[in-house]
Amino acid sequence: MSKVSVIVGLQWGDEGKGKIADFLSGDYDIIARFQGGANAGHTVKVGGREYVFHQVPSGLLRGGKVGILGAGMVIDIMSLVEELKQLEGVDYDLVIDERAHLVLPYHRLQDARQEESGRGVGSTRRGISQAYRDKYARFGVRAGSLLDERILKEDLKRSYEFNSRHFTVNLDFEEIYDILLTESREIRDMIGDASLYLRNAIEEGKSILMEGAQGTLLDIDFGTYPYVTSSHTISGGALVGLGFPWKRVDEVIGVFKAYTTRVGKGPFPTELVDETGNQLREKGGEYGATTGRPRRVGWLDLVALRYAVWVNGVDYLVMTKLDVLFGFPEVKVAVAYRLQGMDVRWFPASYHRLARVEPIYRTFPGFDDLDGARDYISFIEDYLGVPIKIISYGMDREKTVLR
Ligand code: GDP
Ligand code: IMO
Ligand code: MG
C-alpha cells in the first residue's frame, strides 16, 4: 500500500528531522524536500559516520531511494554538487523540479553584506531570502533554464539587471553565466518535472516521505516574523512546494526536541541564559550544522508546541534528544505565558507581544533514563492531545524507540 507522509519540525529548526527522516526512510520509496535550500543542516549518523545534508533529502543513505528537490526550494547548484559527493557509492536517483528557483552568487553576497551591516535577522548567509525575493518579484531564474544555454542567458540577464538596478552585484555577468553552465553539467540530467514524477509514482503505488526543513516557528507567515526564514515550513508547504494534492497525503509527523533551541535573532520566551542553558548547549552539542554558530537554548515550550500541532495538523509526534535532559536535577516546561497581568495560552502572532511574555512553568523532578521520563512524556501528550509515537535518545539510528 502506498503511503504519503509529511514530516515537519515544530520549533525553530534543528529538531532532529534529518535523523528521524533517515530512521523512517526504510518505509518509503521517495524522499522529497519541498522548501528552503542550503540554509538547512540535517544530520544523520549511521555506522559511526556523520553526514550533514543541506539540500538533498535525508534518507537516501539506505540506497535504492529517489530524492526529490521540489519546486518550492531554492537551489544552490555549487553547494549541491559538493554535497552529492557525500553520497558517492550510494545507489540513488535525484529529481530536481525545473520550477525550483536558483540561488545565484550575488544572492549569497547580498545576504552576507546584510548580516555584516547588523541589520539582518541572523541568517545562514546562504542567499535564501534574496533568492525568494527575486522569485516573488518575478525576476528569478529557474532550474529548468539550465537546460538551454540561450534561455539561461536570457533569464540570467533579467535577474542580473534587476539586481544591478536595486541591489549589489559585485560580479561580472559572463563569469556568473560560465559558472552556472559549468557547474550545472553535473546535475543537468536530474532536472525535470517533479510534480509529474510524483503523480506517476502514486499511480505505481510508491510511498513518499516529504521532509520539511527549518521549523514551524520559522515559517514566513506563521513564524515569529520578521525573524523567520523565507518559505513555508509548515505541512501545507509540502503541497505547494511539490505540486501535490492534499487528498493524497495520509499523515503529518511532527518532530520536536525535548527542550528548545533557536539560531539567529528573535524572541524566545523560554530561553535560558544561565548555567543550565550552557549545560544544555554543551550536552546537546547545540552548534549549527550549517554555520557552526552556538544555538540559543531553553526549556520546552508547550504553548508554542500546541500552536505548531494545530497549524501543521500533526497526527503523531516524535520527541528527540531526550537523553540530553538525563541527569538534570529538575526539568521545566512552559504551560502558559503571562502578558500584562493576563494568562496567555495561545502563541501570539506578533513578535512584539511574544517578546514581552513571561513563561509560566511546570517543574518535573529530574530523570536519568527513558523510564524515569514517563511522567514528563505523558504530561506533554496530555497537554497536546497527540501521541508521541517515537522517542529518540541519541544521535545514532539505533537510539530510537517506537512506542
Ligand atoms: P535537523 O536540522 O532537524 O535535521 O537537526 P540537526 O541535524 O540540525 O540537529 C540535530 C542534532 O542533534 C544533530 O547533531 C543530530 O545528530 C543530533 N541528534 C538527533 N537526535 C538526537 C538524540 O535523540 N539525542 C542526541 N543526543 N542527539 C540527537
Ligand atoms: P534546519 O532545516 C535552524 C534560521 C537562521 C535565521 C533565520 C533566517 O537545519 O532545521 P535564512 O538563512 O533562512 O534566511 O535565515 O532562520 N534558520 C535556521 N535555524 N535550523 C535551520 O534549518 C535553519 N534555517 C534557517 O538562523 O535565524
Ligand atoms: Mg539543522
Side-chain angles (χ1 to χ4, degrees), residues 13-15 17 39-43 289-290 295:
D14 305 325
E15 296 90 349
K17 300 174 291 292
N39 48 349
H42 298 175
T43 318
T290 297
R295 294 173 182 153

Side-chain angles (χ1 to χ4, degrees), residues 9 13-20 40-45 50-53 58 211-214 255 257 259 283-290 295 319-324 391-396 399-400:
D14 305 325
E15 296 90 349
K17 300 174 291 292
K19 174 188 160 160
I20 301 303
H42 298 175
T43 318
V44 178
K45 198 169 167 215
E50 209 174 303
Y51 303 81
V52 180
F53 297 111
S58 317
E211 177 190 354
Q214 289 79 52
V255 185
K257 224 178 258 196
Y259 49 100
K283 200 156 169 228
E286 295 298 353
Y287 292 86
T290 297
R295 294 173 182 153
M319 183 200 261
T320 62
K321 304 191 86 158
L322 184 58
D323 55 300
V324 177
I391 295 179
S392 165
Y393 58 99
M395 284 181 83
D396 298 278
K399 298 240 159 121
T400 321

